[in-house]
Amino acid sequence: MKNQLNIIILFIIAFTSCKKETNEKPIENVIATESWKMLDDSIIAVTDRNILTASNSYNKLFFQTPSVFYEIDSNVRLKNAWVMGPDFDNGSMKPFIGKNYVIYFDNPKPQYIEIFDKNDIHSHSQTSINLKDNVFNNYYRQNSFSNVDDQNNFCHSFLSGPGNFDTCTFYINKYHLRTDFYSDYDLLFSKAIMRDFNLSVSNIHLIDDIIYYNLNGLGFRYQSSNGQIDTLEFNLRKMLKINDVIYATSQFSGYKGIARNPSLYCSFDNGRNWQIIGSGGSFGYANNLSNIGGKLVASSALWAICLDFTSNSIKTINTKDLRAQIKTITEFNNKVYIGTDAGVYYKSLSGFFND
C-alpha cells in the first residue's frame, strides 16, 4: 500500500461515442439504486434540522443542532433530546462531539468554552472555561479548539494582544476533562508559541498526543513532551487518522517561494514525514474528512468523494437527491447518515459506496 501511495493519484477520464444505424432497439440496462431516506420528525424535530456536527460512540448516534443535542439508540429511536447548544451557526466554529464530552464556543466572539458530559447529562455535567482567565489584559482573538481525544484531552489556541498593537502572542492551552460528581477540567499546560506582528491562526488538531496547527498559512507539528516544533511545509486544513495512517488536506500555499496546490497528504509515522497522494482544488474546499467503512471520505457542502487507496481510485458519492448542504457524514450500524442544514439523510453502507 505504501508504494501505491508514493504515486500521485491522477485521474483522466476520456469519453468517446459513436453512432451506428440499426433497426434493432437498444436494450436498456436499468440499475436500481438505493434512495436516500430522511429521519422523521419523531427523531429530529422539523423546526430544528440544522445539523452542526455528529458522532457515534457506545452504540449510540449523536447530533448537535444550534439548540438541541440528540441522542439516538441502536434501533435508531430517539433516546433523549437535551436543550443545549451554541445557539448559533457560523460554519467555521462548529461544536465537537467526542467519545465522552461535547465542547463549543458560547458565541462567535467567544467568552467561554462550554463543556458537557454527553454520557451523563444532568445539572452537574456542565462546566465552562472562562477564556479571559487564560490571556493577558483580557485580549484574545482567533480562537480555535481541537478535537477531544479518547483520553478526554483537547487544545485551545488563540492570539493574545490588542488587534491594533504591533505584536501579539500565539498561545496553545491543553486541557483534560473529567467527571467525578461534577464535570471539571485541568489545565495541563499553557504554551506561548510565537510572538510576532499580525499573526493569523486557524485549525488545530490533537492526534496521538501530538498537536498540529496552522499559523500564517503554514502547518506545524508540536510535541509537548519535549517542546519540539516541526514545520509541515504545507498549508494544513483538515486531519484524520484511519488505522495507522494520518491524512491531511491543504489549501494553496507558497512556502519558500514554491507554489503548492491544494493537496491530500499522508503520514505513516505520526506526522514526522509526509507524502502527497492527491492533488486538486477539491482538497482545499473539503470541509470534512470522515472514516466511513475504513475508507477516507472527503466532503464539502455540495459533494462527497471516497478515496480508495487499494485500487487508486476516487469515487464520487451520489448526493444529488439530498437537496441540502452537507454538514456531517457518520457511519452507524451499517448505515451512513448525512447531516445537512435541512435534516438527516441515510442509506445503507453498501448503497452509499455503490450507488
Side-chain angles (χ1 to χ4, degrees), residues 278-348:
S279 184
S282 295
F283 295 118
Y285 290 109
N287 297 323
N288 296 290
L289 297 179
S290 307
N291 179 355
I292 305 297
K295 299 179 181 180
L296 179 65
V297 172
S299 61
S300 76
L302 301 176
W303 52 261
I305 56 176
C306 173
L307 300 105
D308 189 342
F309 302 112
T310 60
S311 61
N312 279 354
S313 64
I314 292 180
K315 176 180 174 55
T316 300
I317 302 299
N318 180 10
T319 60
K320 63 182 180 180
D321 295 330
L322 296 185
R323 299 181 181 180
Q325 292 189 17
I326 298 171
K327 296 290 195 73
T328 67
I329 303 181
T330 311
E331 179 187 352
F332 181 65
N333 285 358
N334 208 37
K335 289 185 173 60
V336 178
Y337 294 83
I338 293 187
T340 73
D341 60 349
V344 178
Y345 293 81
Y346 68 95
K347 66 168 55 176
S348 69

Side-chain angles (χ1 to χ4, degrees), residues 212-215 217-221 230-236:
Y212 302 86
Y213 58 91
N214 189 298
L215 184 64
L218 192 62
F220 293 90
R221 176 184 185 271
D230 300 313
T231 304
L232 302 184
E233 298 193 3
F234 59 85
N235 189 346
L236 173 65

Side-chain angles (χ1 to χ4, degrees), residues 11-241:
F11 298 90
I12 304 174
I13 303 175
F15 293 93
T16 59
S17 62
C18 62
K19 185 177 181 181
K20 181 179 179 181
E21 292 185 1
T22 176
N23 292 326
E24 297 180 359
K25 293 184 178 180
I27 299 175
E28 295 183 0
N29 293 322
V30 179
I31 301 176
T33 60
E34 181 181 348
S35 299
W36 287 100
K37 300 176 182 177
M38 178 176 279
L39 293 183
D40 61 35
D41 300 346
S42 64
I43 301 175
I44 304 293
V46 68
T47 57
D48 189 49
R49 289 187 169 183
N50 184 15
I51 307 300
L52 301 185
T53 190
S55 182
N56 68 78
S57 59
Y58 302 113
N59 204 25
K60 296 177 184 177
L61 183 61
F62 302 92
F63 294 105
Q64 177 73 67
T65 69
S67 301
V68 180
F69 181 71
Y70 292 92
E71 179 182 352
I72 296 169
D73 66 19
S74 58
N75 296 313
V76 195
R77 296 175 181 171
L78 180 63
K79 182 176 178 63
N80 286 300
W82 305 92
V83 180
M84 54 177 58
D87 292 326
F88 73 92
D89 175 15
N90 71 351
S92 62
M93 298 175 67
K94 66 180 183 179
F96 181 84
I97 304 175
K99 185 176 181 180
N100 297 303
Y101 293 91
V102 179
I103 60 175
Y104 55 86
F105 287 124
D106 62 322
N107 62 64
K109 294 184 177 180
Q111 307 288 318
Y112 296 91
I113 298 176
E114 303 291 352
I115 302 161
F116 66 85
D117 186 338
K118 70 181 181 61
N119 302 312
D120 186 23
I121 299 179
H122 54 78
S123 60
H124 304 299
S125 70
Q126 303 172 52
T127 188
S128 302
I129 297 176
N130 186 346
L131 302 185
K132 287 187 177 183
D133 290 343
N134 303 317
V135 295
F136 299 113
N137 302 323
N138 290 338
Y139 291 105
Y140 54 94
R141 50 199 171 88
Q142 294 191 28
N143 291 273
S144 295
F145 56 72
S146 73
N147 54 298
V148 182
D149 67 13
D150 287 344
Q151 287 70 49
N152 300 324
N153 299 325
F154 80 98
C155 295
H156 168 225
S157 66
F158 57 95
L159 295 181
S160 173
N164 60 344
F165 276 25
D166 289 339
T167 58
C168 56
T169 304
F170 172 57
Y171 279 87
I172 293 178
N173 291 347
K174 184 178 179 182
Y175 294 94
H176 174 70
L177 304 179
R178 56 184 169 81
T179 301
D180 299 321
F181 180 71
Y182 294 92
S183 290
D184 207 345
Y185 60 88
D186 301 305
L187 177 62
L188 301 181
F189 70 80
S190 181
K191 173 71 174 178
I193 300 293
M194 179 184 291
R195 183 174 176 84
D196 205 347
F197 169 73
N198 197 26
L199 293 174
S200 177
V201 181
S202 62
N203 305 321
I204 182 167
H205 308 271
L206 181 61
I207 299 177
D208 293 334
D209 212 31
I210 305 296
I211 302 168
Y212 302 86
Y213 58 91
N214 189 298
L215 184 64
N216 285 0
L218 192 62
F220 293 90
R221 176 184 185 271
Y222 174 52
Q223 193 166 350
S224 59
S225 60
N226 58 17
Q228 181 177 344
I229 298 177
D230 300 313
T231 304
L232 302 184
E233 298 193 3
F234 59 85
N235 189 346
L236 173 65
R237 188 158 193 231
K238 299 295 182 182
M239 298 188 79
L240 179 69
K241 185 171 185 179

